[in-house]
Amino acid sequence: MILAPFTLHRPESLAEALSLAAKLPDGGYDWIGGGTDLLQNYKNRLNAKDHVIALDRVPEMRGISAERIGAGERLAVISESAVVRERWPGLAEAITHVASPLIRNSGTLGGNLLVETRCYYFNQTPFWRGTKGSCMKAESDECLVVPQKEICYAAYSGDLAPILGVLSATLELASPAGTREVRIDEFYAGDGIRKNVKRADEIIVGVKVPAEASTLRAGYRKLRHRDALDYPEMGCAAALRLDPSGRIELLRAATTAVDVVPHFLDFSELMRGQEPDTAFAEVAAAMEERAQPKKNTSMPVGYRKKMVRVYLGRLLDDLRAGRTEGRIPAA
Amino acid sequence: MTSRDSRSPHGVGQRVPLIDGPSKVTGTAVYTDDIRLPGTLVGKILRSPHAHAKIVSIDTSAAESMPGVRAVVTGSRDLRTFGVLPISKDEVALAVDKVIYVGDCVAGVAADDEETALAACEAIRVEYEPLPIVGKADDALKECPPEQKLHPDTRHPSNLQKQVDQNFGDVDAAFAGADHVAKGNFRFIGVTHAFTEPHCVIAHFEPTGRLTVWSATQVPHYLHRDLAAVMDLPMHRIRVIRPMVGGAFGGKSDPFPHEMITALLSRRTGRPVKIRFDREEVFLTNHGRHPTKTSIGVACDGDGKLLGLDLDALIDGGAWGSFGVVTTYYNGVLSVGPYRFDNFRYRGRRVYTNKPPCGAMRGHGAVNSRFAFEVLIDELAEKCGVDAAEFRLRNLLPSNTTTLNGFRITSNGTEECIRRVVEASDWKNKRGKLPYGRGIGIACGFYISGSALRINWNKVPQSTAHLKIDMDGGVTVHCMAAEIGQGSDTMLAQCVAEVLGLPIEWIRVFSRDSDLDPIDLGSYSSRVTFMAGNAARRAAEVIRGKLCAAAARLTGYDAEGFDTRDGHVVWLPNPAIRVPYLDALLEAIAGKGALIAKGCYHDAPPMGGSHKGAAAGLSPTYSFQSYVTETEVDPETGFVKPVKVWAAHDCGKALNPLAVEMQIEGCLHMGLGQALMESFGYNRATVGNPSFLDYKIPGPLEMPDVEVHIVESDDPEGPFGAKEAGEGPLLPILPSLANAVRDAVGITMYELPMTPDRVLKEIEKKERASAVREASEAANPKETVR
């Protein structure tokens, strides 16, 4: 496979990046972070653009602090950062679920949040699509998973949106029109093509994590065939705080890869004061209920849906007990 | 011979790192794609998007007129068909009149660069007229008009390619009189080799009119023969070179269309042409393990003595014959060991379907039937209340015997294999005694160590080695045994080092060039150590004789008393009498020139029965295995996570224990892939998951702890007692894991891979059944009396 040809731009600042984009035709360019997702699609000739603007030299997108992670930071760096491990160990551990060490050395936080939605019929080579027919997310106007022409059912398959969502993180978006902040749990919307509320000319510059996040127990669990490389067949995150009597004070849950967007639900109000066992069962069931996987990944739909309850239930039990998966060796 | 007795520090029984390892890990090894000849053109193949279609027309004019395009070739009736087996030469270099699978080669293009070659492929206009697709093996059995047959010339009025019927004893009577019978219908999806290096070939028609082909192949000789047929050249006008190969596992054991296409393009252009596949093309080329439906019945008496095996395999061959006739036999006949029984019936049918061809893959033909057999043995053992390991021990074939179908068994270490893994795993304290969700299982294996009879009927030895030693003392070993990563070069070097008593640094192996290196039939059917090892040993023994004679001349002692060891030629009656190797060598060379010798492995002794197909599965010797696997099964998610495997393999003699261990671990990893997650899936007739992201190969995190037990039964005919270690060790891992799953959660898996959703479904089915049972017992206690 040969990479689709494009002109690469490497701006040195956010302002330069934005003004460069403003000069290019709408829809005529892609932003690139680590490239581990985008270039694979370019090799498959999936919506490749003539211009690619690299963000690796934009200083505004760097830095890791107690409040903010630059969207251009590499996943491996974030996961290994002392600040992140101390304040948000669940995030550090969730990152170890992404792909493989090599890919995490290159992939960025912003890139992961914006990972292209995935579908059995979309993530294929040009030859394959020429054989089976192409879908509305590629060259045609029809969905091959659920035959119709309105909604693209490609699955949102990022690993980090759920954990950042339950930590109530916020995205800093910059565009020539200025900057704005959007909560992660309100960022994703639409379908497999429209995906989120980010406009094409916007960049995710950074991810802000509220101070409260470091007081929560939070984690991520992932269903997949192999414990590396694979995208989630289902992923779930939760954040938990119990009151001194051991009852629910805060409980948020999120899932990924079981719909065109990740699902986020804050159960805190509903469950406050409840016994964890009852609350956990209800939360896990509610998230399973909401899951709408389609037959476009490797594992069967019913199984992926069913596993929401099992994985989320186990995660919540682990959070209560203070157990991690042990994917990051203790310091 | 124990390792202490070795004549060389790198001789038999020594742990010798593979001699080509340093070049691989430093990136200096030269694979086919690393070869850059001046003026090389890039070749690309236009492939069929249809599984079955008539080719109405092909218009190559636009492609041919593109700047930078040097040649376009398409199929022609004038080109001979080919194929690895003489009985099924049903392959064409390029499609003629019709295409029969998605990925079938329709046209070849040679251009100045890859972009141009790809653009030229796109510019070729092909008009197709789709034909009905034969997608499923069952459909292929249906009678159909000749035009709906993939290969109209075959004798059956359907897409059945080969049917094997064998019957020994009286199976029906044995089953009727049996105390216990276990039956099962098993389903196996296809799996593929997933080697690292994609197929790559360079062909160069030189100005002399000679064709040189460099190819990533494990069968240079069969490539040589079929190139001669397709290019219509005598073999001596063709030179085949096998550069370093990055894994093969049977996936490079056929002569391939792309090799022919490259040669055709080079003949057309007069320039070297290279075709290198991308990963999707590797998947489309496949030749992996056949999807198979296996129906099986096994019977025993009340004491757990096996009475009979009734086996039926429906084998989905895909578009071509490949090794399929052999596969059809192997699915049956490789089940006749390691157990003794007197009644055996087998029906095997291989069909053509409009899918990428299947072929030989590590454990060829034996894996699926072995799985079914070993899983049902556990069921039988349970039925007669005998421990699963004990049941197997009661039914073993002895050494030096003949199977009911005429296989000659010589060395046989199965019993020791079982005893070692049972003891090491603490089987007796674990089997049936681990908590729910954890289990332990056992299974055995049986495999050929080379095919006793060659594929092509002729008098060429199966393997030949040439040795040469000139005044520098370095030993060159020439033999076309294909090093494909399995360590055959190292094996040859060790055999020679052992005989000559030299460190391995003195030995250089040349195994890649048909002009320079004598014939070996190739790396398939686990034949290389046994056959090429014997050839090299025999050649080295000739040279040793010359060195001993020279030492006798120098010392005045008798030549018979001398032997080579530790860099000297030593007079054994008094080892103080010794001549340094180089001194003996110079004496041997004096007045004669370099020492040259050859050795060969011609044929196994006559063996086998006279029934139809008696030759299939005959081997000069067989390997035996027994594994115990301990696993966790998560009853809520269905995930199977093998924890530890105790793997015992009888390889006769471990010439290189390090290499044997690596082969066992590699087999185990590959077998676990088929057992747990690998699935060569189809969306109708299109390969569903042609990438390493979607074709799930277990990673390091999925590997259990492996404890290897090498059992040495000292084969009477193997080189230094050795037999194969590259394929048999794959067999027991799948059923031993399934039997462990059964021990863990009480379910029998009749379908592979054991994906978590399938396992969970079986667990839930079992739980539902037991809930119903409990409910009915509670509601009506008398019912349970029935």
Side-chain angles (χ1 to χ4, degrees):
Chain A
M1 285 194 291
I2 309 179
L3 200 56
F6 56 80
T7 304
L8 180 69
H9 307 271
R10 296 185 84 180
E12 306 273 342
S13 71
L14 183 60
E16 191 190 338
L18 294 172
S19 72
L20 238 170
K23 287 177 205 146
L24 295 170
D26 284 348
Y29 63 92
D30 272 319
W31 307 110
I32 190 169
T36 55
D37 183 36
L38 186 81
L39 295 183
Q40 184 57 35
N41 287 339
Y42 271 40
K43 282 190 172 182
N44 277 334
R45 309 286 161 141
L46 289 165
N47 304 322
K49 310 284 170 57
D50 293 335
H51 296 270
V52 171
I53 306 173
L55 299 172
D56 59 326
R57 292 179 179 170
V58 174
E60 291 89 340
M61 297 178 67
R62 308 308 282 266
I64 300 175
S65 72
E67 296 83 35
R68 175 188 183 275
I69 304 171
E73 290 292 341
R74 310 283 171 183
L75 295 177
V77 172
I78 300 169
S79 178
E80 284 156 21
S81 138
V83 175
V84 173
R85 286 193 176 183
E86 192 205 320
R87 294 184 68 85
W88 316 300
L91 172 62
E93 194 163 61
I95 290 174
T96 68
H97 282 278
V98 178
S100 69
L102 283 177
I103 292 172
R104 296 197 293 272
N105 285 342
S106 185
T108 63
L109 179 58
N112 187 275
L113 293 171
L114 293 173
V115 70
E116 191 55 79
T117 54
R118 299 186 63 80
C119 177
Y120 172 78
Y121 291 93
F122 174 72
N123 297 101
Q124 298 283 2
T125 65
F127 174 80
W128 198 95
R129 303 198 302 277
T131 298
K132 296 305 300 175
S134 187
C135 75
M136 63 194 286
K137 190 168 164 64
E139 293 91 357
S140 90
D141 63 350
E142 199 173 7
C143 176
L144 299 176
V145 184
V146 183
Q148 42 77 46
K149 297 184 175 183
E150 307 304 315
I151 301 168
C152 165
Y153 283 98
Y156 179 77
S157 304
D159 282 310
L160 303 182
I163 182 81
L164 287 167
V166 299
L167 294 175
S168 284
T170 303
L171 304 180
E172 297 171 13
L173 297 174
S175 72
T179 59
R180 60 174 179 144
E181 292 191 3
V182 179
R183 290 167 55 99
I184 283 194
D185 56 12
E186 293 171 357
F187 178 69
Y188 298 94
D191 67 359
I193 290 174
R194 286 156 281 263
K195 300 180 286 196
N196 55 53
V197 301
K198 188 181 88 66
R199 296 192 309 270
D201 65 348
E202 284 183 308
I203 303 173
I204 299 181
V205 181
V207 177
K208 285 186 172 170
V209 190
E212 181 202 51
S214 64
T215 69
L216 305 177
R217 289 179 179 181
Y220 175 67
R221 297 291 183 268
K222 180 172 179 177
L223 170 69
R224 52 175 161 177
H225 287 281
R226 301 174 287 192
D227 205 10
L229 294 170
D230 290 341
Y231 284 91
E233 297 282 334
M234 185 286 299
C236 59
L240 176 71
R241 192 166 59 223
L242 300 176
D243 67 18
S245 69
R247 291 164 186 268
I248 305 290
E249 188 174 292
L250 178 150
L251 201 173
R252 301 185 197 122
T255 54
T256 184
V258 286
D259 197 354
V260 296
V261 293
H263 293 166
F264 303 94
L265 271 183
D266 190 339
F267 293 90
S268 302
E269 276 189 37
L270 198 65
M271 301 290 173
R272 190 163 294 133
Q274 285 207 26
E275 289 291 342
D277 283 335
T278 331
F280 290 174
E282 283 181 38
V283 167
M287 294 306 284
E288 179 188 347
E289 179 76 19
R290 273 174 72 96
Q292 305 178 37
K294 293 290 178 287
K295 195 174 161 26
N296 58 359
T297 70
S298 172
M299 290 180 177
V301 169
Y303 178 75
R304 286 159 63 203
K305 191 170 165 75
K306 189 181 285 180
M307 286 304 107
V308 173
R309 191 196 302 236
V310 176
Y311 277 64
L312 189 54
R314 288 181 177 183
L315 169 61
L316 288 165
D317 284 341
D318 283 348
L319 293 179
R320 174 167 52 168
R323 282 190 298 266
T324 71
E325 290 180 286
R327 297 174 72 89
I328 293 179
Chain B
M1 179 186 294
T2 67
S3 58
R4 283 193 311 279
D5 297 333
S6 181
R7 296 181 175 88
S8 154
H10 309 109
V12 167
Q14 307 300 318
R15 300 177 68 85
V16 179
L18 300 189
I19 57 177
D20 52 2
S23 72
K24 287 182 177 174
V25 297
T26 55
T28 53
V30 177
Y31 296 86
T32 307
D33 194 37
D34 293 318
I35 298 169
R36 306 281 151 93
L37 301 178
T40 300
L41 299 172
V42 176
K44 286 284 170 190
I45 295 170
L46 175 69
R47 294 175 179 278
S48 165
H50 296 282
H52 201 189
K54 273 187 196 158
I55 299 174
V56 179
S57 64
I58 305 181
D59 180 358
T60 61
S61 55
E64 283 173 294
S65 63
M66 288 170 70
V69 173
R70 302 297 170 180
V72 180
V73 292
T74 55
S76 158
R77 287 205 179 282
D78 297 337
L79 293 173
R80 283 202 191 101
T81 61
F82 65 95
V84 68
L85 299 184
I87 38 173
S88 58
K89 290 196 178 290
D90 55 14
E91 304 189 26
V92 289
L94 286 153
V96 179
D97 299 339
K98 65 172 182 176
V99 289
I100 55 175
Y101 69 98
V102 172
D104 207 351
C105 303
V106 176
V109 171
D112 290 348
D113 55 60
E114 192 171 5
E115 286 83 353
T116 307
L118 286 168
C121 283
E122 280 183 34
I124 296 170
R125 295 280 153 256
V126 187
E127 193 186 334
Y128 296 101
E129 190 179 300
L131 293 166
I133 296 172
V134 184
K136 294 193 170 122
D138 291 300
D139 296 338
L141 289 171
K142 292 176 189 157
E143 204 166 312
C144 66
E147 61 272 18
Q148 281 177 32
K149 287 172 64 176
L150 275 70
H151 300 281
D153 298 338
T154 53
R155 45 192 275 252
H156 300 284
S158 66
N159 279 296
L160 176 64
Q161 182 209 357
K162 174 73 183 173
Q163 175 155 344
V164 172
D165 286 287
Q166 294 197 335
N167 210 337
F168 300 91
D170 187 340
V171 168
D172 290 329
F175 275 63
D179 290 300
H180 303 288
V181 171
K183 287 185 177 177
N185 296 314
F186 291 81
R187 292 174 72 97
F188 304 93
I189 200 160
V191 289
T192 198
H193 321 82
F195 39 74
T196 310
E197 179 207 19
H199 301 271
C200 186
V201 57
I202 302 167
H204 187 200
F205 252 96
E206 285 152 38
T208 57
R210 246 188 132 218
L211 170 65
T212 301
V213 171
W214 294 256
S215 188
T217 178
Q218 53 194 110
V219 287
H221 176 66
Y222 298 125
L223 172 59
H224 199 162
R225 293 178 80 98
D226 278 359
L227 276 169
V230 175
M231 303 308 292
D232 204 12
L233 286 172
M235 283 180 77
H236 73 88
R237 297 268 300 280
I238 299 172
R239 177 184 183 189
V240 174
I241 299 174
R242 174 203 56 79
M244 192 77 84
V245 172
F249 310 109
K252 295 170 181 167
S253 62
D254 292 70
F256 286 106
H258 65 270
E259 293 166 325
M260 311 301 160
I261 294 168
T262 313
L264 292 168
L265 288 168
S266 180
R267 180 157 71 186
R268 186 73 69 82
T269 58
R271 288 170 59 175
V273 177
K274 179 193 283 182
I275 288 183
R276 185 204 57 225
F277 283 2
D278 62 27
R279 185 56 62 183
E280 181 177 40
E281 290 181 289
V282 176
F283 274 89
L284 294 174
T285 303
N286 190 24
H287 286 74
R289 196 171 329 286
H290 295 65
T292 306
K293 285 178 166 179
T294 305
S295 298
I296 176 170
V298 192
C300 71
D301 68 14
D303 298 328
K305 180 186 180 321
L306 274 177
L307 298 174
L309 171 62
D310 194 5
L311 188 57
D312 185 299
L314 176 57
I315 303 161
D316 184 345
W320 285 331
S322 180
F323 279 94
V325 169
V326 177
T327 316
T328 315
Y329 279 108
Y330 280 7
N331 264 266
V333 300
L334 296 186
S335 301
V336 302
Y339 311 114
R340 161 85 75 200
F341 45 92
D342 296 331
N343 304 285
F344 173 49
R345 178 165 59 197
Y346 172 58
R347 178 177 67 165
R349 291 169 296 172
R350 184 183 192 263
V351 295
Y352 291 119
T353 57
N354 290 116
K355 292 186 287 198
C358 297
M361 179 170 161
R362 201 178 203 176
H364 180 200
V367 175
N368 296 344
S369 297
R370 173 62 47 194
F371 179 86
F373 192 9
E374 295 285 334
V375 166
L376 288 199
I377 283 181
D378 261 36
E379 207 176 306
L380 275 189
E382 192 177 293
K383 282 183 178 181
C384 49
V386 178
D387 172 74
E390 172 60 27
F391 186 97
R392 287 170 168 83
L393 284 168
R394 285 184 193 177
N395 285 289
L396 292 181
L397 286 165
S399 306
N400 302 310
T401 186
T402 305
T403 63
L404 82 170
N405 64 339
F407 290 179
R408 183 193 68 153
I409 304 295
T410 52
S411 62
N412 178 353
T414 323
E415 183 174 341
E416 189 183 343
C417 287
I418 294 178
R419 294 201 188 284
R420 297 251 311 249
V421 292
V422 161
E423 187 183 327
S425 65
D426 197 17
W427 169 266
K428 292 196 163 64
N429 288 315
K430 286 180 177 170
R431 174 72 167 188
K433 294 169 185 160
L434 295 170
Y436 185 68
R438 196 168 178 112
I440 193 165
I442 190 169
C444 293
F446 168 75
Y447 204 68
I448 55 171
S449 188
S451 180
L453 299 168
R454 66 209 69 211
I455 286 176
N456 293 284
W457 289 93
N458 58 35
K459 294 186 173 176
V460 180
Q462 295 223 35
S463 190
T464 307
H466 293 175
L467 257 63
K468 187 206 77 180
I469 312 181
D470 212 334
M471 55 77 62
D472 66 350
V475 184
T476 62
V477 185
H478 295 266
C479 175
M480 274 301 270
E483 171 64 69
I484 53 173
Q486 87 281 40
S488 65
D489 278 0
T490 307
M491 180 278 298
L492 290 171
Q494 279 189 276
C495 287
V496 172
E498 174 64 38
V499 174
L500 298 181
L502 292 174
I504 206 160
E505 294 80 20
W506 291 73
I507 321 291
R508 315 146 182 161
V509 177
F510 296 81
S511 59
R512 47 184 59 181
D513 186 336
S514 68
D515 272 6
L516 304 175
D517 310 320
I519 187 169
D520 173 275
L521 296 182
S523 292
Y524 63 95
S525 80
S526 278
R527 55 181 295 288
V528 172
T529 292
F530 194 93
M531 296 181 182
N534 267 325
R537 184 185 66 168
R538 286 166 189 166
E541 283 168 353
V542 173
I543 297 241
R544 180 170 66 192
K546 294 181 182 184
L547 291 171
C548 291
R553 289 199 294 278
L554 288 172
T555 60
Y557 290 87
D558 63 296
E560 290 68 35
F562 279 97
D563 192 13
T564 44
R565 54 185 61 210
D566 297 328
H568 289 77
V569 187
V570 180
W571 194 62
L572 294 179
N574 176 6
I577 314 283
R578 51 172 55 204
V579 178
Y581 161 65
L582 282 177
D583 292 354
L585 173 67
L586 289 177
E587 169 63 22
I589 286 176
K592 297 193 180 89
L595 299 189
I596 292 175
K598 64 189 173 195
C600 69
Y601 181 84
H602 190 78
D603 263 333
M607 59 173 78
S610 56
H611 58 279
K612 187 167 192 290
L618 281 183
S619 175
T621 188
Y622 296 86
S623 74
F624 299 88
Q625 305 77 29
S626 182
Y627 289 9
V628 165
T629 297
E630 187 169 342
T631 192
E632 289 175 355
V633 181
D634 186 326
E636 284 184 310
T637 67
F639 267 90
V640 174
K641 182 153 183 53
V643 180
K644 173 136 188 176
V645 181
W646 294 265
H649 169 70
D650 165 23
C651 63
K653 168 74 194 174
L655 298 181
N656 182 351
L658 181 63
V660 171
E661 287 166 14
M662 290 192 293
Q663 283 299 316
I664 292 172
E665 288 174 8
C667 274
L668 209 140
H669 171 255
M670 196 167 239
L672 281 177
Q674 183 181 357
L676 290 174
M677 57 184 80
E678 290 184 36
S679 171
F680 198 87
Y682 292 95
N683 185 315
R684 291 203 48 153
T686 299
V687 180
N689 48 350
S691 76
F692 279 169
L693 181 59
D694 296 319
Y695 182 82
K696 310 289 185 187
I697 304 164
L701 297 170
E702 278 66 55
M703 274 297 278
D705 186 15
V706 180
E707 184 178 307
V708 170
H709 294 259
I710 296 175
V711 169
E712 298 186 319
S713 60
D714 195 12
D715 191 78
E717 293 168 21
F720 310 100
K723 46 191 185 181
E724 75 96 18
E727 298 193 74
L730 191 145
L731 302 171
I733 183 60
L734 301 89
S736 68
L737 177 59
N739 290 338
V741 167
R742 191 164 192 268
D743 189 47
V745 290
I747 58 166
T748 303
M749 293 304 292
Y750 294 99
E751 187 170 3
L752 294 182
M754 296 184 265
T755 51
D757 53 289
R758 284 186 183 146
V759 172
L760 185 63
K761 200 180 268 179
E762 291 302 319
I763 291 173
E764 288 172 346
K765 209 192 287 176
K766 187 203 70 174
E767 284 172 352
R768 273 197 306 275
S770 74
V772 168
R773 202 162 51 239
E774 279 169 27
S776 73
E777 283 167 13
N780 189 355
K782 285 177 197 163
E783 289 282 296
T784 60
V785 176
R786 286 197 304 187

